[in-house]
Amino acid sequence: MSVMNGDGAPHRAEEQNGGGDPEHSDEGNEQEVIVIQDTGFTVKIQAPGTEPFDLQVSPQEMVQEIHQVLMDREDTCHRTCFSLQLEGNVLDNFAELKSIEGLQEGSLLKVVEEPYTVREARIHVRHIRDLLKSLDPSDSYNGVDCNSLSFLSVFTEGDLGENGKRKKKGSELEQIDCTPPEHILPGSKDRPLVPLQPQNKDWKPLQCLKILTMSGWNPPPGNRKMHGDLMYLYMVTVEERHVSITASTRGFYLNQSTTYTFNPKPANPSFLSHSLVELLSQISPAFKKNFSTIQKKRVQRHPFERIATPFQVYSWTAPQVDHAMDCVRAEDAYTSRLGYEEHIPGQTRDWNEELQTTRELPRKNLPERLLRERAIFKVHSDFAAAATRGSMAVIDGNVMAINPGEETRMQMFIWNNIFFSLGFDVRDHYLELGGDSAAHAAPTNDLNGVRAYGAVDVDGLYTLGTVVVDYRGYRITAQSIIPGILEREQEQSVIYGSIDFGKTVVSHPKYLELLEKTSRPLKVQRHPVLDDKSEAVELCSSVECKGIIGNDGRHYILDLLRTFPPDLNFLPVEGEELPEESRRQGFPRQHRHRLACLRQELIEAFVEHRYLLFMKMAALQLMQQKANKESKATAALTENGGPQAATLENKGEGGDATATTNGSAPPSPMATENGACESPESSEADLKSREVVQNACKAVGSISNTSFDIRFNPDIFSPGVRFPEGSSEDIQKQKQLLKDAAAFLVSCQIPSLVKDCLDHNALPMDGATLTEALHQRGINVRYLGTVLDFISKTPARTQLDHIYRIGIYELITRSAKHFFKTYLQGVELSGLSAAVSHFLNCFLSSFTDAVAHLPADELVSKRKNRRRRNRVPGGGGGDNTAWASLTPTELWRSIVSEASSYYHFTLHCETVDQAVEKYGLQKTTLLREISIKAGIQILIKDYNFDSRHKPAFTEEDILNIFPVVKHVNPKASDAFHFFQSGQAKVQQGFLKEGCELINEALNLFNNVYGAMHVELCACLRLLARLNYIMGDYSEALSNQQKAVLMSERVLGIEHPNTIQEYMHLALYCFANGQLSTALKLLYRARYLMLQVCGEDHPEMALLDSNIGLVLHGVMEFDLSLRFLENALAINSKYHGARSLKVALSHHLVARVYESKAEFRSALQHEKEGYTIYKNQVGEAHEKTRESSEYLKYLTQQAVALQRTMNEIYKNGSSASIMPLKFTAPTMASVLEQLNIINGIIFIPLSQKDLENLKAEVQRRQEAMKSEEQQEEESPLELEHKLTAEQERQSAPTGAEVLEQQASA
């Protein structure tokens, strides 16, 4: 099964549209790849006032990219307005290098300064401001311009690569200080927030200028324009010199204006310079010095620390940052332009046109597809940024409504060519479906629909750009605008679907033809419904899905909220009974709204499950038939029985089970197969086999009788939709399918999730990763209560403690978020910080009578009557301070009732302290979860939640409210293919080839996504692991460093993935001999993990084993024991006392005791380990033998020690003492143990070994084919183990350890 959860979708779609040729095999790819990798060449670049330097370029690059490089280089970064000339000819900015005549290896390109225009002057000022601010993290804290935080360099003290070369391996031992801060040690209950953002030395701002701002004399009057004045700037230097500067076509110079008098004549001297930096360096020595220091530091930072991310990442904590004067920021805030949109002619962007044109780009071969995917991705990320900014402007009241006369809930807005609507039920549109609750759920359902149709990618069918933003308690849907839709009424424009939930329905042949193409991949059945005249109308989607042809002639579909079928577990229907599995769990349950749908992942899994069932049944019946025939012993018939089975089997092998087999088999495979043979018996066999397929189809609910094909009718159980008489049998079938799917979720998917958690194949650490694990298996979050109930009834309940606890966190914070949403809607802007801090106090503080401070304090004069405080100016409509009366008791009561009514789960707590006590929670984790979910940013300081005398938060602690944004993530399909085939190669043991494929995937991902993206992260991590296994430590280090930086920037500094990246990096640092760095990284990972989920988590055992081993290596035995014994305790809890992981833990602890010469304890632990090995893998196994050898050795040492002690007691100080052999562990032995616990198996690869390994693997594969895999345990255990990420969690099994020993 390739990837089920939606990731596989884009490429399946391609196969259906003929977008990708069916033989999309490796050979095809290899030719295509060659097209991309044209070799680079070197050109010389000569800039004014600098030495010529060499620059490596590739023929695909545009001239503009060289511009970017020059604007980033330390010695040329201050130039923005220049052209590149080759032998006196100006190069076109947008030309590809390969198209330029005479440009070759060694050509000299000259940088020539060009005259400024107003636009160029503004770009120049903006660029200089960016250079001055390049080390300042405030944009990352404020969540603007796609900046985000990264702290790796604080722990590695700069770039890792250099460290490795500088330090000698051995001499480092002496100067390491290994003691971690108190709060990181096992058992510590203290969870300080401050270390989350360690102080970065580079961020202490160096001041180059006090003030740089636009002058009040702008714009230049007509007579000055004719002298070439473009604009005026005002500056104050660090030396307190106030200057007025003219930007003219020739450059920048000082003029004679002051604050109150306008005198544009050049000063004397005027210091005319082409660049602002050159001008300022002449008049301010401090500027010259500090500017060059900042640029040096900027260039030293890893590029990944400063490249913009594709989507904005917000930080939920921030320090108090000084607010500095900044003309560019001020100007940006009040223009509707986003960033550099001055580059785009026509100013505002036509988002719809851009989104749809990129979809129409050709996609016949790899370069075309890459260009197309890159364009789609870029437009999507720009659109998401614009939509987010617009949504905030709408809620903050900065955008005029298009229907200003209506009440606020009903208003709609247009800003920057994007249409915004609020998530309320206006005009009782959703009255029958659940009112406001339905209106709140509809946008996310719609977004899932847009995502699904976008992934199928049918030519000629268009969806709208859609972004859903939650901000300040409101849900806003932002959509691109269909051309012409605003000029006409909706009734006229809809030519397919229904605008009143199925009362009137229309259809259209072109739409049916387009939607028919999506029917198979999305499993949507074509079906008739009745319109208001009771005539049947054909549809191939749900009734709410509307088709509108825009003025641009494109076929748009919108309102895709019912793309996937309804979830009957949460949709009680009178007279319908659910299957037994659902009823047993108390379904169906009443839900807030009637829009509860099954997830696409569930549909895929269900169809896959049914397909396997179908194959089994058909095969079984055929075998029975065969047996019957054989009993008649008619040879002729037996001949015919053979191919049948074969055709059926082959049909199943069609690659991606769901995509290719779902109805793609020819109508009657049996008939065609046997048509050649005309004997009478054959037709009888033919009939029988058809009957077999028919029976199997019927049994699994296929919509066709001749082949396996399951699709759903999304309109079943929709209120108001009626079906024609004739289709009643079909409708019954469909109803049954839906019931089966609902039961499948409860009876298969939830247990399989819990099993995966038990086997440690799924290891969620926080709410987000738990939600992801649920979604991957198609389980909606509304089942969270059911999942928790299921866990509490599982026999191995204690081994699921961590999952249960994370589930409770998620349940509490989600219920609190539901409450918070409506709570915030009643708060006006001036009271926001007070209201949020009051809410957090009620939620987390032990202080029982939290009192809110009403916001009037700053502004109202004290003498006025106290009672009139509540009436805030402009607060029309009732009492705006209702929020202030919330009490902790009331809030927790609401949370408990929300958990019960929404998630059907009973929480046994009335206050936060009871919750903490009963479920073993920690308040920092609750704070983190609620802040991330609700978009709150708080001041980073150590909060005292447990004080009974004062509340934990004041309004000064709430720094910001951020939007929470949901959008489509366009995928890079080709790159994903390469990545998958790379993984497959690695698992078969072809490491070199795997490595090449994954490198190729990395290039393609880079091509589509740019340098920063989650998927690049996965690529880099796997590459680093491969480099490491193949013995290239420094390359592993460099790739893993990139993975950590990228994870911090794209996912967040304390995201569970980031924590794991830190652990991998520490291992590679250790292997490179950078012990102190390795320790710092491990301590950082442990700190983050404590913040995110606390100490009681199976992953903590791995982390502590790593820390313990490194500490053992640097002879810190007592510290090492604390961590290793903690790891042992956690492993015993989560893997069971008899697991091999626990045996290994015992062995590690014994080694440390041996180093301390405490042989009795060492023996005790090693005996435990030995017993486990003996019971699990038997006496003869290598591991058991090793353990018994080690026991003998320990016993000898213990005896020797005892003798010496006796000798001392007997003879006093004159005793002759035998020197004892104490073993300090070698670095190699520590590294060997580290590799074992991290699940890495080494293969010392020389070329010869590689050949042998390949031959061996091939031999095994042949052998496997011949055996037809009779046994479960595949002999490819070793290859599978090499890099499958999951196996980090699996204990080193006997086989694996054996392999490891053998290969070492």
Side-chain angles (χ1 to χ4, degrees):
M1 180 169 107
S2 78
V3 177
M4 285 300 295
N5 39 350
D7 292 0
H11 73 84
R12 293 180 205 161
E14 217 171 51
E15 285 157 30
Q16 265 120 14
N17 314 333
D21 46 332
E23 288 83 21
H24 202 57
S25 61
D26 285 355
E27 298 86 62
N29 280 347
E30 259 131 50
Q31 265 114 48
E32 289 180 331
V33 175
I34 296 162
V35 183
I36 296 182
Q37 297 176 320
D38 282 348
T39 41
F41 57 95
T42 310
V43 292
K44 273 201 171 351
I45 293 196
Q46 164 84 65
T50 59
E51 292 293 307
F53 58 87
D54 288 340
L55 184 66
Q56 182 79 24
V57 292
S58 92
Q60 270 81 32
E61 280 179 32
M62 289 200 217
V63 177
Q64 192 182 0
E65 295 180 53
I66 301 185
H67 272 253
Q68 290 300 329
V69 171
L70 292 176
M71 283 163 64
D72 202 51
R73 268 181 73 98
E74 191 181 342
D75 48 0
T76 54
C77 64
H78 54 276
R79 305 184 180 282
T80 58
C81 186
F82 58 86
S83 63
L84 290 167
Q85 300 189 358
L86 175 64
E87 294 161 7
N89 300 326
V90 176
L91 305 186
D92 168 19
N93 247 347
F94 295 101
E96 290 193 342
L97 297 185
K98 59 179 175 210
S99 65
I100 295 167
E101 276 184 47
L103 183 64
Q104 63 210 34
E105 177 74 37
S107 296
L108 179 71
L109 291 179
K110 285 201 164 138
V111 174
V112 180
E113 297 175 342
E114 294 288 335
Y116 283 98
T117 58
V118 174
R119 176 171 166 270
E120 284 292 347
R122 291 169 57 132
I123 286 177
H124 185 77
V125 172
R126 182 181 279 274
H127 180 67
I128 300 304
R129 169 266 197 175
D130 287 346
L131 290 176
L132 293 177
K133 278 190 58 177
S134 56
L135 297 178
D136 175 11
S138 56
D139 279 355
S140 304
Y141 291 127
N142 295 329
V144 289
D145 296 341
C146 289
N147 287 311
S148 57
L149 298 166
S150 162
F151 289 104
L152 177 63
S153 55
V154 180
F155 300 99
T156 55
E157 278 148 20
D159 197 5
L160 279 170
E162 301 157 13
N163 284 11
K165 300 186 190 78
R166 276 205 310 271
K167 291 183 179 162
K168 291 193 189 62
K169 285 196 175 164
S171 68
E172 215 194 329
L173 280 179
E174 296 77 79
Q175 74 270 27
I176 302 182
D177 175 28
C178 304
T179 344
E182 198 56 40
H183 59 260
I184 293 180
L185 288 171
S188 161
K189 287 280 170 274
D190 193 20
R191 299 277 180 271
L193 254 191
V194 176
L196 185 58
Q197 297 192 6
Q199 283 305 303
N200 194 331
K201 297 192 291 289
D202 289 349
W203 290 354
K204 296 278 183 294
L206 281 170
Q207 217 182 13
C208 295
L209 278 177
K210 288 207 164 156
I211 291 176
L212 153 64
T213 168
M214 298 291 168
S215 157
W217 299 116
N218 279 320
N223 63 331
R224 288 309 305 171
K225 246 181 166 162
M226 294 159 79
H227 281 90
D229 291 11
L230 302 171
M231 63 184 191
Y232 305 119
L233 303 169
Y234 171 69
M235 314 221 176
V236 181
T237 66
V238 179
E239 297 86 354
E240 278 298 327
R241 179 174 172 190
H242 295 238
V243 290
S244 217
I245 293 179
T246 301
S248 75
T249 48
R250 294 179 306 148
F252 297 82
Y253 61 83
L254 299 188
N255 62 35
Q256 297 177 29
S257 301
T258 63
T259 320
Y260 303 113
T261 55
F262 178 59
N263 181 356
K265 297 264 186 301
N268 188 13
S270 73
F271 296 114
L272 173 66
S273 316
H274 191 263
S275 133
L276 205 45
V277 172
E278 290 165 358
L279 168 69
L280 289 165
S281 300
Q282 293 176 66
I283 62 170
S284 162
F287 177 89
K288 187 174 182 176
K289 176 169 163 263
N290 291 350
F291 184 79
S292 79
T293 314
I294 286 182
Q295 295 326 308
K296 277 200 177 55
K297 282 191 173 169
R298 177 180 69 87
V299 183
Q300 280 163 7
R301 290 176 73 193
H302 197 286
F304 283 7
E305 292 182 67
R306 42 202 185 100
I307 300 170
T309 58
F311 300 103
Q312 184 66 56
V313 177
Y314 299 100
S315 164
W316 64 279
T317 52
Q320 198 73 59
V321 183
D322 296 330
H323 193 58
M325 191 184 269
D326 181 339
C327 60
V328 178
R329 183 190 63 216
E331 181 190 36
D332 277 357
Y334 296 110
T335 52
S336 73
R337 289 199 293 274
L338 294 163
Y340 276 100
E341 268 159 31
E342 296 145 344
H343 287 306
I344 293 158
Q347 302 303 346
T348 52
R349 297 171 66 164
D350 182 344
W351 291 111
N352 191 66
E353 189 54 35
E354 286 191 44
L355 286 161
Q356 313 309 352
T357 328
T358 51
R359 285 242 172 243
E360 288 163 350
L361 292 171
R363 44 172 156 176
K364 291 191 203 53
N365 52 29
L366 187 64
E368 282 186 358
R369 282 198 298 275
L370 285 175
L371 262 175
R372 175 175 184 265
E373 287 177 343
R374 181 182 188 168
I376 289 177
F377 184 76
K378 183 79 187 91
V379 175
H380 263 94
S381 71
D382 288 356
F383 178 69
T388 307
R389 185 170 166 182
S391 307
M392 292 166 73
V394 163
I395 297 301
D396 290 338
N398 304 337
V399 181
M400 174 86 170
I402 49 179
N403 50 346
E406 314 217 16
E407 62 161 314
T408 35
R409 299 166 49 104
M410 299 178 72
Q411 288 176 350
M412 293 173 278
F413 305 82
I414 288 180
W415 177 87
N416 202 352
N417 281 332
I418 306 175
F419 174 78
F420 298 92
S421 53
L422 298 174
F424 292 117
D425 183 14
V426 291
R427 305 196 179 78
D428 289 340
H429 189 60
Y430 291 107
L431 190 60
E432 292 180 11
L433 297 168
D436 277 348
S437 296
H440 190 264
T444 44
N445 276 6
D446 185 32
L447 181 66
N448 288 336
V450 171
R451 193 176 285 135
Y453 278 101
V456 175
D457 214 0
V458 169
D459 274 334
L461 187 64
Y462 298 90
T463 54
L464 301 183
T466 308
V467 174
V468 178
V469 180
D470 288 300
Y471 177 61
R472 283 181 50 192
Y474 295 93
R475 171 158 284 181
I476 308 102
T477 309
Q479 290 172 311
S480 61
I481 300 169
I482 298 179
I485 188 156
L486 297 168
E487 288 105 69
R488 44 190 182 181
E489 277 296 306
Q490 202 179 18
E491 284 78 23
Q492 301 158 8
S493 11
V494 172
I495 57 164
Y496 170 89
S498 160
I499 56 169
D500 45 19
F501 288 103
K503 294 181 187 60
T504 52
V505 191
V506 284
S507 189
H508 187 280
K510 179 68 181 163
Y511 270 103
L512 282 174
E513 176 202 329
L514 288 168
L515 286 167
E516 188 68 54
K517 293 180 188 163
T518 66
S519 146
R520 178 168 297 139
L522 295 180
K523 322 272 184 285
V524 176
Q525 190 193 2
R526 184 167 170 165
H527 59 277
V529 299
L530 295 177
D531 63 5
D532 48 346
K533 303 187 194 63
S534 291
E535 288 167 11
V537 178
E538 281 281 315
L539 291 180
C540 195
S541 64
S542 67
V543 284
E544 307 78 16
C545 168
K546 303 170 189 43
I548 295 180
I549 298 182
N551 284 359
D552 52 4
R554 294 188 178 107
H555 291 76
Y556 292 92
I557 50 169
L558 52 154
D559 287 351
L560 308 174
L561 51 141
R562 283 244 178 103
T563 303
F564 298 110
D567 178 357
L568 295 192
N569 286 333
F570 283 94
L571 191 70
V573 181
E574 278 183 32
E576 296 289 344
E577 176 135 299
L578 286 180
E580 168 62 24
E581 301 96 328
S582 290
R583 291 206 310 277
R584 224 185 351 236
Q585 307 252 3
F587 292 109
R589 293 177 174 161
Q590 200 61 51
H591 199 51
R592 296 273 154 89
H593 53 78
R594 301 178 62 92
L595 292 179
C597 292
L598 296 170
R599 293 185 64 85
Q600 186 172 14
E601 296 92 339
L602 183 89
I603 301 294
E604 302 274 347
F606 177 69
V607 171
E608 173 99 356
H609 172 76
R610 280 288 158 108
Y611 178 68
L612 291 172
L613 207 68
F614 170 79
M615 293 303 297
K616 274 188 193 146
M617 296 182 67
L620 212 94
Q621 287 182 308
L622 282 168
M623 276 161 71
Q624 282 173 349
Q625 280 194 19
K626 204 168 164 184
N628 295 345
K629 283 178 192 163
E630 276 167 3
S631 64
K632 294 180 187 167
T634 50
L637 277 183
T638 325
E639 283 291 70
N640 267 343
Q644 240 95 308
T647 56
L648 204 66
E649 288 300 331
N650 295 346
K651 205 170 78 189
E653 303 291 68
D656 206 284
T658 43
T660 38
T661 56
N662 199 1
S664 57
S668 169
M670 307 313 174
T672 49
E673 188 69 27
N674 296 338
C677 171
E678 290 293 316
S679 66
E681 298 100 304
S682 80
S683 64
E684 181 193 333
D686 180 20
L687 276 171
K688 282 211 173 130
S689 52
R690 260 193 227 177
E691 193 186 317
V692 167
V693 173
Q694 234 165 346
N695 294 344
C697 282
K698 205 166 180 173
V700 295
S702 163
I703 60 169
S704 138
N705 287 332
T706 50
S707 66
F708 176 81
D709 189 358
I710 285 189
R711 303 184 199 190
F712 293 88
N713 174 345
D715 283 331
I716 303 270
F717 299 127
S718 293
V721 178
R722 299 172 304 146
F723 298 104
E725 294 287 303
S727 58
S728 59
E729 184 192 335
D730 199 36
I731 298 298
Q732 273 318 110
K733 246 190 187 179
Q734 281 294 337
K735 286 184 177 175
Q736 193 49 49
L737 255 186
L738 281 180
K739 292 175 187 173
D740 292 348
F744 171 75
L745 195 159
V746 180
S747 62
C748 288
Q749 295 305 83
I750 292 181
S752 93
L753 167 78
V754 174
K755 183 179 182 310
D756 281 345
C757 292
L758 263 178
D759 300 343
H760 302 281
N761 289 334
L763 253 190
M765 255 191 232
D766 67 344
T769 41
L770 176 67
T771 308
E772 202 177 307
L774 288 167
H775 285 172
Q776 277 173 1
R777 290 158 186 80
I779 305 167
N780 312 68
V781 177
R782 59 175 170 270
Y783 284 96
L784 189 55
T786 315
V787 173
L788 289 176
D789 284 334
F790 186 87
I791 290 177
S792 54
K793 295 187 187 114
T794 309
R797 165 73 180 77
T798 46
Q799 294 186 23
L800 290 166
D801 264 0
H802 58 302
I803 306 291
Y804 192 75
R805 190 177 312 108
I806 295 167
I808 295 285
Y809 276 129
E810 190 67 350
L811 202 80
I812 290 178
T813 45
R814 277 178 185 262
S815 303
K817 180 190 75 173
H818 293 177
F819 180 89
F820 184 61
K821 198 175 65 203
T822 43
Y823 169 87
L824 266 194
Q825 287 174 10
V827 179
E828 61 161 37
L829 206 45
S830 63
L832 263 181
S833 55
V836 174
S837 64
H838 179 58
F839 173 83
L840 288 177
N841 280 329
C842 294
F843 183 44
L844 293 173
S845 183
S846 305
F847 180 57
T848 43
D849 34 355
V851 183
H853 295 282
L854 293 184
D857 301 352
E858 286 179 26
L859 306 170
V860 178
S861 75
K862 292 278 177 276
R863 278 189 314 237
K864 279 206 184 139
N865 183 343
R866 280 297 165 106
R867 250 170 293 157
R868 296 193 41 213
R869 275 282 178 86
N870 303 6
R871 298 234 285 287
V872 187
D879 173 12
N880 273 0
T881 54
W883 57 265
S885 58
L886 180 70
T887 64
T889 325
E890 187 189 336
L891 172 62
W892 275 90
R893 206 176 292 132
S894 307
I895 290 175
V896 171
S897 85
E898 179 72 10
S900 150
S901 68
Y902 194 91
Y903 298 105
H904 303 277
F905 185 83
T906 314
L907 284 171
H908 300 286
C909 54
E910 289 163 24
T911 63
V912 66
D913 293 323
Q914 285 179 15
V916 167
E917 186 59 35
K918 168 120 180 59
Y919 298 107
L921 310 180
Q922 45 183 32
K923 290 187 181 178
T924 41
T925 305
L926 282 170
L927 177 63
R928 172 179 180 265
E929 293 283 355
I930 189 74
S931 301
I932 290 172
K933 286 183 180 56
I936 304 169
Q937 187 185 49
I938 60 162
L939 180 65
I940 188 158
K941 67 175 201 189
D942 291 333
Y943 292 96
N944 179 5
F945 298 112
D946 300 330
S947 158
R948 303 216 169 270
H949 309 296
K950 62 178 207 300
F953 298 89
T954 66
E955 49 192 290
E956 301 307 313
D957 297 330
I958 310 299
L959 298 182
N960 212 336
I961 289 195
F962 286 130
V964 176
V965 186
K966 300 180 176 66
H967 53 79
V968 178
N969 271 316
K971 289 268 181 275
S973 52
D974 289 287
F976 192 68
H977 280 192
F978 274 101
F979 185 57
Q980 280 189 313
S981 35
Q983 279 178 311
K985 279 268 188 267
V986 167
Q987 290 194 343
Q988 294 160 7
F990 300 111
L991 300 188
K992 272 272 192 332
E993 287 89 332
C995 218
E996 279 162 20
L997 280 166
I998 286 161
N999 258 316
E1000 197 47 63
L1002 192 65
N1003 287 337
L1004 300 186
F1005 276 137
N1006 243 318
N1007 237 312
V1008 174
Y1009 296 139
M1012 280 271 147
H1013 196 273
V1014 184
E1015 288 177 23
L1016 275 137
C1017 223
C1019 243
L1020 285 163
R1021 176 194 323 147
L1022 187 49
L1023 261 182
R1025 205 172 168 90
L1026 285 172
N1027 298 139
Y1028 184 67
I1029 288 176
M1030 288 155 66
D1032 187 348
Y1033 293 168
S1034 57
E1035 192 60 20
L1037 197 59
S1038 137
N1039 278 328
Q1040 188 57 31
Q1041 182 186 9
K1042 290 180 193 161
V1044 175
L1045 285 170
M1046 201 176 294
S1047 186
E1048 287 193 304
R1049 295 281 322 277
V1050 182
L1051 292 168
I1053 53 172
E1054 79 297 338
H1055 189 279
N1057 288 32
T1058 309
I1059 300 179
Q1060 300 205 326
E1061 304 297 4
Y1062 263 100
M1063 283 165 65
H1064 294 315
L1065 184 61
L1067 173 64
Y1068 307 152
C1069 276
F1070 187 89
N1072 268 304
Q1074 302 178 21
L1075 309 191
S1076 61
T1077 308
L1079 260 179
K1080 278 185 204 155
L1081 294 170
L1082 286 169
Y1083 286 156
R1084 171 68 172 170
R1086 192 170 208 276
Y1087 168 75
L1088 293 174
M1089 203 154 151
L1090 287 172
Q1091 288 295 338
V1092 168
C1093 64
E1095 198 161 53
D1096 186 17
H1097 191 284
E1099 197 66 347
M1100 194 53 102
L1102 178 63
L1103 186 47
D1104 283 353
S1105 304
N1106 274 307
I1107 296 177
L1109 273 167
V1110 176
L1111 286 170
H1112 186 195
V1114 296
M1115 324 253 288
E1116 288 277 349
F1117 302 134
D1118 293 337
L1119 257 183
S1120 168
L1121 270 180
R1122 287 187 71 169
F1123 287 101
L1124 287 175
E1125 289 184 324
N1126 191 47
L1128 173 62
I1130 296 178
N1131 271 334
S1132 309
K1133 172 174 177 180
Y1134 285 107
H1135 293 272
R1138 306 261 55 92
S1139 104
L1140 294 175
K1141 255 200 160 45
V1142 177
L1144 186 59
S1145 265
H1146 277 301
H1147 175 62
L1148 297 179
V1149 174
R1151 286 182 37 163
V1152 182
Y1153 275 124
E1154 180 210 343
S1155 301
K1156 287 180 68 179
E1158 294 182 19
F1159 297 113
R1160 185 165 292 161
S1161 307
L1163 272 166
Q1164 200 179 339
H1165 279 287
E1166 191 55 44
K1167 270 182 193 144
E1168 293 277 343
Y1170 173 72
T1171 318
I1172 297 177
Y1173 283 130
K1174 198 170 83 178
N1175 295 340
Q1176 299 290 336
V1177 291
E1179 291 271 359
H1181 192 280
E1182 182 150 7
K1183 261 307 184 201
T1184 322
R1185 290 212 301 273
E1186 258 179 38
S1187 181
S1188 105
E1189 288 295 306
Y1190 186 53
L1191 276 172
K1192 278 182 201 150
Y1193 167 73
L1194 283 177
T1195 317
Q1196 287 164 4
Q1197 289 291 322
V1199 170
L1201 179 69
Q1202 200 52 50
R1203 272 201 203 114
T1204 315
M1205 298 307 284
N1206 295 347
E1207 185 78 11
I1208 293 176
Y1209 289 135
K1210 210 161 72 193
N1211 303 343
S1213 54
S1214 61
S1216 59
I1217 300 172
M1218 285 281 294
L1220 275 176
K1221 290 204 297 261
F1222 283 137
T1223 50
T1226 60
M1227 284 304 139
S1229 74
V1230 173
L1231 189 59
E1232 183 189 8
Q1233 295 297 334
L1234 276 171
N1235 290 327
I1236 294 178
I1237 62 171
N1238 287 298
I1240 288 179
I1241 293 158
F1242 261 103
I1243 305 180
L1245 291 175
S1246 64
Q1247 204 40 47
K1248 197 166 137 229
D1249 290 336
L1250 254 177
E1251 300 305 317
N1252 295 348
L1253 181 72
K1254 266 188 220 161
E1256 170 70 2
V1257 169
Q1258 269 167 332
R1259 208 187 47 152
R1260 288 184 180 187
Q1261 280 174 330
E1262 312 285 279
M1264 270 174 71
K1265 278 180 193 151
S1266 61
E1267 287 168 18
E1268 279 302 322
Q1269 296 167 320
Q1270 285 152 354
E1271 66 221 66
E1272 287 283 281
E1273 200 59 68
S1274 88
L1276 283 178
E1277 187 78 348
L1278 158 73
E1279 288 77 46
H1280 282 305
K1281 290 288 180 200
L1282 275 175
T1283 51
E1285 271 290 292
Q1286 279 88 24
E1287 54 64 36
R1288 278 190 323 84
Q1289 283 87 27
S1290 76
T1293 58
E1296 180 183 340
V1297 174
L1298 229 167
E1299 297 283 2
Q1300 191 251 349
Q1301 295 300 342
S1303 62

